[in-house]
Amino acid sequence: MAEGGVSIRATDIRKRFGHLEALRGASLEIREGEILALVGDNGAGKSTLAKIICGAVTPDQGELSFWGETVV
């Protein structure tokens, strides 16, 4: 992949835990060589998004891809 290509792409990720809507359409692109920080208020869904990217949690809806290959 060329320098600067998209390594991780999350599109319209949604996750619910019972009645709690943890993520409501989160999208993110991380490019090769890029350093990124997830910041936000408590309960904003940062940890949930990180767990989805790591594979520990499955999203209810949306698409996750690594180097152009869809995994979820």
Side-chain angles (χ1 to χ4, degrees):
M1 171 172 286
E3 180 69 29
V6 176
S7 299
I8 300 172
R9 177 177 282 132
T11 307
D12 196 29
I13 302 293
R14 297 173 185 269
K15 181 65 182 176
R16 294 184 71 88
F17 296 102
H19 70 280
L20 176 67
E21 190 173 36
L23 291 173
R24 185 183 324 146
S27 295
L28 171 75
E29 278 189 2
I30 302 174
R31 297 189 172 279
E32 187 176 334
E34 188 172 50
I35 298 171
L36 179 81
L38 289 174
V39 295
D41 292 336
N42 288 339
K46 302 175 302 287
S47 296
T48 302
L49 182 58
K51 289 175 185 177
I52 288 171
I53 290 170
C54 292
V57 173
T58 304
D60 296 330
Q61 186 178 335
E63 185 176 292
L64 179 64
S65 62
F66 294 93
W67 296 279
E69 184 176 332
T70 300
V71 294
V72 173

